[in-house]
Amino acid sequence: MWCDSELHYGMLEKACEDGDTAMAECLIELGADINKKTKTVSLIYQVCERGGPLELVELLLSRGVHEQHLRRALAVSMRRGDEATIIQLLSRLGLDLNNSSLCLGSFRLGRLDAAWLRPLLAERGRTHSLRYNNSKGVSLARHIRSLQRSKSVSGPPGSLADLCLTSGYVSDDSDNSSFSFTSTDDTTFFNGDLESDGESSAGLQKERIRLLDLSGNELDSLCCLTDSVSVQQQLQHLFHLDLSHNVLLKFPSELCQSLTSLTRLDLQGNQLQSLPVELLVLPSLSVLNVSRNCVGPLLTFDPAVTCPSLRQLNLSFNKISTFPDHLGQTMSQLEELFMEGNSIAELCRPLCLPEIKLLDMSKNSVTKISADFLTACPKLETVNASTNKLSSLSHLPLKIMTLKLSNNSFMDIPKAILDLPNLKSLDMRTNNIAVLPSPKFWLSSNLRELMFSQNCIEALDLSGPIHRWIRLEKLHLSENKLKEEVAKSSQQKLSMPRSKDIPEEMRKKVIKYISLE
């Protein structure tokens, strides 16, 4: 009989339809597949759609229901408003005990209730109400197996229906006198399991949720985080909060009072128009991502408000038309600033960020960078100002190693670039550069990559001390006006094994290729 999987699953469906958790558990123990579908919907969806008992939902969850089935079950439970079932499903889908995280991202829930989050944040060590290894259903399955073994020894086995099945499930009025659901050994094991679980749960309670991911849920407010005192108390332990890709119009200032331990906040892809002052004074915040919002056209920081812990700020793809005032006074310890994809036209006032190492101003409308804009940025190493309208540069910090200036209006290479002693990578593709200076004009001996594709270069001059390019690996010159024979001649000179112009050590440090394609 148990070789018929269709019959097996049909009996499981009948038990679930009747809300008979014990019989369902027995059938699962005997091999019924909870993920098999004979209808258009899964078994757990059917249970949730009918508003089945919570212990039955817990049973199915504990036995490995596929995640794709859980998503639809969650949707129907939300339509019904079955709070207890919703909490169980969210716990299974998003609670990661090993990584101290609750990840509910990309569920497209539309709303989140504080009542759902409260138990998930506060009870990491919560256990199922059923003790599946020692419950009635498991004991019944053991008894059936025992009878099958004895029948196979003493004579032809009877059907399971003859043993204890009636219409596909166990009747509450059936005679159970022939066996006990819980033996003495089982009871001993059961008690030990309770104690063990109790100790384990107590240990888990000491660990708090550190990462909360609510991204991609189409949330238009954060009432789920502010309406419950218990939830706010749990938020005090968070390190990382991800609210990206929702439809938030504002970030509630009252929420900041609960985020005292927060180090990372992701608000990318919302509809925020401003930043609350309270957000900037969070004592532990080091990474703030507000990219792809509606901040602007003006953004002014209060110099009296400081955020000494902030190390990375992302304001890319907003509507900012003027570089933010007093940014340096507010965030003096900032190391990385991303302003890509705004509408800033000029960079005139000095940027007082003594710790900054990376500045991204790409995809703006910058036509001018004043000589003193970067004078107070002595640790700056990477600058990206590609896709702007720049034609000149007069001052650059000496520690710059990577400089990206593609898609601008340069007609030559500014002296400020040639005089950089630590420059490793320079990208000036898609400009109007006619002359590539020979190696003798470059101060840096650390050059690794020069990208000058899509310019107007007609000749390649390798005169002078070519050892300045001893570490150069790639020279991109495609789509210029170079003649093929000139390029080949230059490549041969760089690859020449013996030359008065090339030192001995350079024979092993030849440019890998000159790209002309």
Side-chain angles (χ1 to χ4, degrees):
M1 177 178 175
W2 289 104
C3 295
D4 189 342
S5 61
E6 295 293 336
L7 178 60
H8 204 177
Y9 181 78
M11 295 172 67
L12 177 59
E13 257 190 337
K14 181 65 168 61
C16 288
E17 183 179 346
D18 292 342
D20 191 338
T21 303
M23 189 64 235
E25 185 178 23
C26 173
L27 292 166
I28 294 170
E29 280 290 313
L30 293 173
D33 183 3
I34 61 173
N35 289 304
K36 181 180 177 64
K37 291 199 304 185
T38 57
K39 300 180 181 178
T40 58
V41 293
S42 63
L43 186 61
I44 193 167
Y45 182 91
Q46 296 174 46
V47 172
C48 292
E49 187 178 36
R50 286 190 294 265
L54 181 62
E55 63 177 11
L56 182 54
V57 175
E58 290 180 334
L59 170 66
L60 296 176
L61 290 175
S62 72
R63 297 309 176 95
V65 177
H66 291 165
E67 183 173 332
Q68 63 266 32
H69 299 163
L70 296 179
R71 296 289 187 104
R72 295 195 64 188
L74 177 60
V76 73
S77 297
M78 289 183 64
R79 287 197 296 270
R80 290 181 51 86
D82 292 338
E83 183 176 298
T85 299
I86 292 171
I87 293 171
Q88 285 292 322
L89 292 170
L90 289 177
S91 175
R92 172 63 186 273
L93 283 167
L95 196 59
D96 185 348
L97 303 180
N98 293 327
N99 293 302
S100 303
S101 61
L102 177 58
C103 299
L104 306 178
S106 302
F107 285 2
R108 294 183 172 274
L109 298 177
R111 68 183 180 91
L112 270 172
D113 291 350
W116 306 345
L117 288 178
R118 184 169 57 248
L120 296 175
L121 291 172
E123 298 183 30
R124 290 194 54 210
R126 66 198 310 269
T127 55
H128 294 300
S129 60
L130 295 177
R131 296 293 173 173
Y132 298 116
N133 288 331
N134 303 279
S135 66
K136 182 177 179 180
V138 173
S139 298
L140 176 57
R142 289 172 181 168
H143 182 69
I144 291 173
R145 289 195 184 103
S146 175
L147 289 177
Q148 286 178 317
R149 286 193 296 269
S150 63
K151 293 280 186 179
S152 64
V153 173
S154 61
S159 69
L160 290 176
D162 293 336
L163 297 174
C164 57
L165 300 180
T166 305
S167 299
Y169 62 93
V170 174
S171 168
D172 289 337
D173 298 327
S174 61
D175 183 11
N176 295 330
S177 59
S178 60
F179 69 97
S180 171
F181 281 107
T182 306
S183 67
T184 304
D185 292 339
D186 285 339
T187 304
T188 303
F189 180 80
F190 176 71
N191 290 334
D193 186 49
L194 274 177
E195 292 175 2
S196 175
D197 279 2
E199 293 173 1
S200 175
S201 177
L204 287 173
Q205 291 291 348
K206 296 177 183 178
E207 296 294 330
R208 305 291 185 176
I209 294 296
R210 302 300 187 183
L211 185 156
L212 176 58
D213 181 0
L214 302 180
S215 63
N217 278 299
E218 302 173 356
L219 303 178
D220 59 5
S221 76
L222 295 177
C223 295
C224 58
L225 302 181
T226 59
D227 286 355
S228 168
V229 174
S230 175
V231 169
Q232 291 186 43
Q233 290 174 345
Q234 295 302 319
L235 293 180
Q236 294 176 7
H237 306 288
L238 279 186
F239 291 161
H240 186 181
L241 176 59
D242 190 345
L243 298 170
S244 62
H245 304 294
N246 284 290
V247 288
L248 299 173
L249 295 173
K250 65 176 184 177
F251 188 87
S253 56
E254 61 269 24
L255 181 58
C256 298
Q257 300 174 6
S258 304
L259 302 175
T260 53
S261 300
L262 196 69
T263 61
R264 301 174 64 93
L265 176 59
D266 193 345
L267 295 168
Q268 175 186 189
N270 281 279
Q271 298 177 19
L272 302 175
Q273 298 181 10
S274 61
L275 301 178
V277 173
E278 293 82 359
L279 186 60
L280 299 176
V281 296
L282 291 179
S284 303
L285 188 64
S286 63
V287 177
L288 176 59
N289 187 351
V290 200
S291 63
R292 300 186 183 278
N293 277 273
C294 303
V295 178
L298 297 179
L299 177 60
T300 301
F301 295 101
D302 185 350
V305 176
T306 60
C307 187
S309 62
L310 195 63
R311 297 294 185 270
Q312 184 187 100
L313 174 63
N314 194 335
L315 291 169
S316 298
F317 297 101
N318 278 279
K319 298 181 179 181
I320 302 170
S321 60
T322 304
F323 196 86
D325 287 337
H326 308 299
L327 186 146
Q329 291 93 320
T330 304
M331 308 168 189
S332 60
Q333 301 301 307
L334 200 65
E335 295 179 358
E336 297 182 358
L337 175 60
F338 299 88
M339 299 286 294
E340 177 187 5
N342 283 283
S343 304
I344 298 171
E346 292 185 339
L347 301 174
C348 297
R349 299 178 183 178
L351 180 62
C352 300
L353 292 174
E355 301 297 326
I356 193 167
K357 296 179 180 178
L358 184 152
L359 174 63
D360 188 348
M361 294 297 305
S362 60
K363 298 180 182 177
N364 277 272
S365 302
V366 180
T367 58
K368 177 184 178 182
I369 298 179
S370 65
D372 60 352
F373 178 69
L374 296 175
T375 53
C377 304
K379 297 184 180 181
L380 191 59
E381 297 177 352
T382 300
V383 176
N384 188 351
S386 60
T387 316
N388 279 286
K389 300 177 181 180
L390 291 168
S391 59
S392 63
L393 282 174
S394 57
H395 174 79
L396 292 170
L398 298 181
K399 285 195 174 182
I400 287 180
M401 292 187 287
T402 301
L403 186 57
K404 299 181 180 181
L405 296 169
S406 62
N407 293 284
N408 276 282
S409 302
F410 289 97
M411 300 186 70
D412 55 26
I413 302 175
K415 190 175 184 301
I417 296 177
L418 298 174
D419 290 342
L420 291 174
N422 299 296
L423 187 63
K424 290 183 177 180
S425 176
L426 174 62
D427 184 357
M428 295 191 74
R429 292 171 296 171
T430 318
N431 279 278
N432 299 310
I433 297 170
V435 177
L436 177 62
S438 65
K440 66 181 179 181
F441 292 104
W442 299 78
L443 183 59
S444 175
S445 297
N446 296 312
L447 288 171
R448 300 291 197 279
E449 191 172 46
L450 294 176
M451 290 172 277
F452 289 97
S453 302
Q454 297 179 317
N455 277 281
C456 305
I457 301 171
E458 295 182 353
L460 186 56
D461 182 5
L462 296 177
S463 62
I466 200 171
H467 67 270
R468 291 283 180 85
W469 285 4
I470 192 173
R471 293 182 173 85
L472 192 62
E473 296 176 353
K474 295 181 180 180
L475 178 58
H476 299 254
L477 294 171
S478 61
E479 297 184 55
N480 275 279
K481 297 181 179 180
L482 282 170
K483 295 180 180 179
E484 186 175 356
E485 57 269 19
V486 173
K488 286 183 177 179
S489 174
S490 301
Q491 195 169 26
Q492 288 172 1
K493 183 172 182 179
L494 285 169
S495 303
M496 193 181 302
R498 301 283 181 182
S499 172
K500 294 180 180 179
D501 296 328
I502 303 176
E504 182 71 17
E505 65 270 18
M506 189 169 182
R507 287 190 287 127
K508 297 181 181 180
K509 296 286 186 178
V510 178
I511 291 182
K512 292 183 179 178
Y513 65 84
I514 297 178
S515 174
L516 295 170
E517 299 177 356

